[in-house]
């Protein structure tokens, strides 16, 4: 079978659904690859590069649609493009089935099969095909770059001879894939980053990336993330009011706000109101990644950049992935290739459209003359919601002092008890054992006690492979062995030498392993 990629017709769209590298992988699955001439030019892939990869370059879109059994696209197909569909053809693209009823009806009428890449379920097995996440990742990164381009200061704080520059404060609303990408980029540039999301299970991810999670003083039973495919769900009116109140509190402090909140097949929720924009500082920037679905900011204008009367820049571009077309095309083409791998289990160049497969069924919106959207929930759950961890209450100085005194008393009591028991046992042994034995036995007991105290009090932050308890014990062994090498018995000397040799391997090997482990965390 033949898989073809036409040139994208949408204005300003620079991406392409097949790259020379992905074409080579598709050929290994048994497919013949076709591409319309000039389809990859804007993404940096010349026709010559496709020809070198064994791809047939077709002169125009009509010829490509006529020759191809599978068509891979990026943008929602036009009515003219859907007019080329036949019952034998399969179309793989972003389709927006929730807002494209006419397109679904036309696909049904033509009888072709349509796989919508944004409908790939968010389960572990389907991550390699999750084109929505791939594009959101790029959009989140690009949003921070776009914010920096419109922001008049550094992200990171600096102290220079010319004066002190405070770090920028960035708020990311929505900690999904795009939000986490924005958080990572923002923190790496040195900004003080805050993040908010209605799903408490993402708080740990946010904090692990160096940002501060914004909590609400509001208790609400959160929906299970698996029930909505891992996406955020609609919140109650009371929760929304608490959320807006928190944003109004934060708005005057923030320099940059990046909003990413979207629920599949719904209009974007309004989270940043007009009065919040009015309260922001002059020179602040808002990047609205939900502009395509109406925007999270009240004043966002899709595909435009505006400046409000109080000097706040609001960017509503809807083509962030397309602004990094080479990277976007590479990731999207890889998602398509993985989808084709699932559709070709025998790697024989023939599509097997298995509607019992969770991923294929979930992504299929039209099949054999029937509309199959919306799909049933996947059998495999996504992420389960978890309750936010309760923060430990802050103790007063008096309470801290009382806790320290209680801990000291308990530790002292334990040590006195152990010493008392040890003394009784030593006395019992001394009553029946000879004096020569007791002399060595007491030294042995004291050495064990001292060694235990020394080894066990090593800070956990210093524990590295083969360098904590084992090396401390090895040090004691090697000292004892060295003392016995001067013994008159050849058996003792032999055993002591073996002990020195083996513990030496352990100690020096531990240093080598630790050196390699620490090198993994060095940027150089």
């Amino acid at each position: 079978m033949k898989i073809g990629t036409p040139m994208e017709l949408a204005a300003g769209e620079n991406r392409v659904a097949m790259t020379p590298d992905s074409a080579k992988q598709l050929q290994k699955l048994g497919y013949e690859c076709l591409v319309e001439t000039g389809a990859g030019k804007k993404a940096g892939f010349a026709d010559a590069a496709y020809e070198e990869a064994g791809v047939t370059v077709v002169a125009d879109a009509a010829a490509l649609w006529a020759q191809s059994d599978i068509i891979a696209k990026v943008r929602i197909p036009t009515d003219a493009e859907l007019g080329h569909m036949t019952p034998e053809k399969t179309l793989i693209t972003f389709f927006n089935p929730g807002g494209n009823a006419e397109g679904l009806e036309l696909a049904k009428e033509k009888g072709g099969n349509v796989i919508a890449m944004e409908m790939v379920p968010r389960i572990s097995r389907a991550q390699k095909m999750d084109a929505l996440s791939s594009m959101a990742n790029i959009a989140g990164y690009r949003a921070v770059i776009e914010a920096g381009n419109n922001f008049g200061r550094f992200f990171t704080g600096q102290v220079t001879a010319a004066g002190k520059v405070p770090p920028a404060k960035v708020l990311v609303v929505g900690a999904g894939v795009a939000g986490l990408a924005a958080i990572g980029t923002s923190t790496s540039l040195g900004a003080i980053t805050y993040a908010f999301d209605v799903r408490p299970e993402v708080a740990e991810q946010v904090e692990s990336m160096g940002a501060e999670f914004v909590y609400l003083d509001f208790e609400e039973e959160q929906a299970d993330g698996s029930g909505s495919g891992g996406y955020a769900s609609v919140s109650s009116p009371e929760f929304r009011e608490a959320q807006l109140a928190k944003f109004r509190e934060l708005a005057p402090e923030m320099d940059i706000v990046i909003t990413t909140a979207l629920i599949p097949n719904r209009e974007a929720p309004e989270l940043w109101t007009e009065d919040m924009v009015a309260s922001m500082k002059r020179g602040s920037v808002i990047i609205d990644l939900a502009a395509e679905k109406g925007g999270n900011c009240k004043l966002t204008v899709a595909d435009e950049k505006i400046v409000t009367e109080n000097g706040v820049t609001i960017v509503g571009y809807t083509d962030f992935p397309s602004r990094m077309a080479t990277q976007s095309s590479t990731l999207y083409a890889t998602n398509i290739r993985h989808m084709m791998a699932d559709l070709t289990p025998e790697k024989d160049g023939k599509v097997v459209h298995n509607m019992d497969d969770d991923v294929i069924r979930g992504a299929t919106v039209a099949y054999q003359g029937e509309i199959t959207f919306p799909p049933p929930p996947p059998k495999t759950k996504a992420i389960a919601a978890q309750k936010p961890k309760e923060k430990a209450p802050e103790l007063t100085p008096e309470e801290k002092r009382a806790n320290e005194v209680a801990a000291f008393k308990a530790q002292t009591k334990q040590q006195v008890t152990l010493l008392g028991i040890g003394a009784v046992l030593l006395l019992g042994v001394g009553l029946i054992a000879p004096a020569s034995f007791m002399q060595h036995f007491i030294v042995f007991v004291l050495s064990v006690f001292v060694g235990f105290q020394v080894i066990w009090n090593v800070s956990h932050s210093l524990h590295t492979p083969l360098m904590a308890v084992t090396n401390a014990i090895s040090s004691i062994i090697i000292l004892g062995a060295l003392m016995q090498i001067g013994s008159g018995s050849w058996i003792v000397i032999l055993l002591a030498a073996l002990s020195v040799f083996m513990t030496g391997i352990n100690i020096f090997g531990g240093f080598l392993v630790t050196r390699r482990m620490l090198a993994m965390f060095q940027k150089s």
Side-chain angles (χ1 to χ4, degrees):
M1 298 179 77
K2 297 180 180 180
I3 177 168
T5 296
M7 183 185 295
E8 295 299 321
L9 302 178
E13 182 54 71
N14 300 323
R15 291 171 292 177
V16 65
M18 183 191 296
T19 65
D21 285 340
S22 73
K24 292 176 183 177
Q25 299 300 320
L26 290 169
Q27 288 164 6
K28 291 180 181 179
L29 293 174
Y31 292 101
E32 183 181 338
C33 297
L34 294 78
V35 67
E36 183 182 352
T37 182
K41 183 179 180 181
K42 294 178 181 177
F45 304 108
D47 289 347
Y50 285 106
E51 289 174 345
E52 288 178 11
V55 180
T56 303
V57 179
V58 182
D60 55 62
L64 182 130
W65 281 83
Q67 296 177 41
S68 302
D69 302 294
I70 304 124
I71 298 90
K73 271 181 51 63
V74 179
R75 287 280 191 155
I76 300 170
T78 63
D79 290 349
E81 287 177 317
L82 286 174
H84 293 294
M85 290 292 288
T86 65
E88 295 79 27
K89 294 186 186 298
T90 298
L91 173 63
I92 305 176
T93 184
F94 283 115
F95 200 84
N96 185 26
N100 190 13
E102 292 181 4
L104 283 175
E105 287 295 333
L106 187 53
K108 174 184 176 181
E109 180 185 330
K110 291 293 181 178
N113 303 330
V114 179
I115 293 176
M117 291 302 289
E118 68 265 58
M119 293 303 298
V120 170
R122 282 189 166 175
I123 58 177
S124 297
R125 184 171 68 84
Q127 286 181 356
K128 59 187 179 182
M129 299 169 243
D130 191 354
L132 207 58
S133 291
S134 296
M135 298 302 102
N137 180 28
I138 293 173
Y141 172 86
R142 180 70 189 198
V144 177
I145 304 303
E146 205 69 42
N149 188 45
N150 288 277
F151 186 54
R153 296 207 323 265
F154 296 140
F155 271 70
T156 185
Q158 290 188 5
V159 178
T160 69
K164 182 179 179 182
V165 179
K169 290 186 177 181
V170 178
L171 172 64
V172 179
V173 180
V177 177
L180 291 173
I183 291 165
T185 309
S186 176
T187 54
S188 66
L189 289 173
I192 299 173
T193 308
Y194 302 85
F196 173 82
D197 198 281
V198 298
R199 296 164 294 178
E201 63 264 26
V202 303
E204 288 184 4
Q205 299 176 53
V206 168
E207 291 166 354
S208 70
M209 298 181 76
E212 181 179 332
F213 192 79
V214 177
Y215 289 96
L216 296 183
D217 294 327
F218 185 88
E219 293 293 332
E220 178 177 73
E221 186 68 26
Q222 295 295 324
D224 190 337
S226 63
S228 55
Y231 294 92
S233 55
V234 180
S235 303
S236 68
E238 294 79 13
F239 184 89
R240 173 177 164 75
E241 287 305 315
Q243 176 179 273
L244 294 180
K246 189 66 176 180
F247 290 161
R248 287 190 180 94
E249 178 187 329
L250 293 172
E253 303 175 20
M254 295 299 126
D255 298 302
I256 295 170
V257 176
I258 299 173
T259 63
T260 71
L262 269 178
I263 299 173
N265 303 311
R266 290 177 179 268
E267 288 298 305
E270 183 186 320
L271 301 177
W272 209 259
T273 59
E274 195 168 347
D275 62 298
M276 295 177 196
V277 177
S279 68
M280 294 179 73
K281 294 175 286 189
R282 181 171 293 276
S284 300
V285 179
I286 298 173
I287 307 291
D288 195 339
L289 292 181
E292 193 170 8
K293 292 296 182 73
N296 296 136
C297 178
K298 177 69 173 178
L299 302 178
T300 298
V301 179
D303 295 312
E304 291 186 22
K305 178 176 74 174
I306 65 171
V307 180
T308 64
E309 292 181 1
N310 63 320
V312 177
T313 301
I314 303 175
V315 179
Y317 299 151
T318 60
D319 60 347
F320 284 106
S322 187
R323 289 170 181 256
M324 301 181 71
T326 303
Q327 184 70 76
S328 300
S329 299
T330 300
L331 294 181
Y332 183 68
T334 302
N335 295 142
I336 294 283
R337 189 251 298 175
H338 283 303
M339 176 62 75
M340 292 307 304
D342 267 32
L343 287 166
T344 321
E346 301 299 326
K347 298 184 180 181
D348 56 356
K350 294 181 181 178
V351 168
V352 179
H353 207 115
N354 180 13
M355 293 294 275
D356 291 327
D357 184 286
D358 265 353
V359 178
I360 295 172
R361 173 63 188 91
T364 302
V365 296
Y367 181 65
Q368 294 183 348
E370 297 292 333
I371 295 174
T372 57
F373 174 82
K379 303 183 190 82
T380 308
K381 298 228 172 191
I383 358 177
Q386 63 181 34
K387 294 181 179 179
K389 293 182 178 178
E390 294 183 4
K391 290 187 175 180
E394 292 188 8
L395 301 176
T396 63
E398 293 77 14
E399 289 174 330
K400 290 180 180 178
R401 178 64 180 166
N403 289 345
E404 289 173 359
V405 170
F408 177 76
K409 288 181 178 179
Q411 186 178 9
T412 303
K413 182 179 179 181
Q414 181 185 16
Q415 289 180 346
V416 169
T417 303
L418 290 175
L419 287 172
I421 293 172
V424 171
L425 291 175
L426 279 175
L427 183 60
V429 173
L431 292 175
I432 58 173
S436 58
F437 172 80
M438 285 304 299
Q439 181 180 356
H440 293 292
F441 185 67
I442 290 173
V443 171
F444 171 74
V445 170
L446 289 175
S447 64
V448 169
F449 176 75
V450 172
F452 175 82
Q453 292 295 326
V454 170
I455 295 167
W456 215 250
N457 285 322
V458 172
S459 173
H460 290 287
S461 61
L462 300 178
H463 285 190
T464 54
L466 301 177
M467 278 295 291
V469 177
T470 55
N471 264 17
I473 294 172
S474 298
S475 301
I476 295 172
I477 294 172
I478 204 167
L479 286 174
L482 287 171
M483 292 177 66
Q484 295 300 322
I485 283 182
S487 172
S489 171
W490 67 270
I491 297 177
V492 173
I493 294 173
L494 178 62
L495 292 175
L498 287 173
S499 298
V500 170
F501 176 71
M502 288 186 288
T503 51
I505 291 175
N506 189 41
I507 292 173
F508 292 113
F511 277 111
L512 290 173
V513 172
T514 301
R515 184 181 179 85
R516 294 186 65 181
M517 290 289 292
L518 294 176
M520 294 172 63
F521 297 95
Q522 294 175 352
K523 290 186 177 180
S524 60

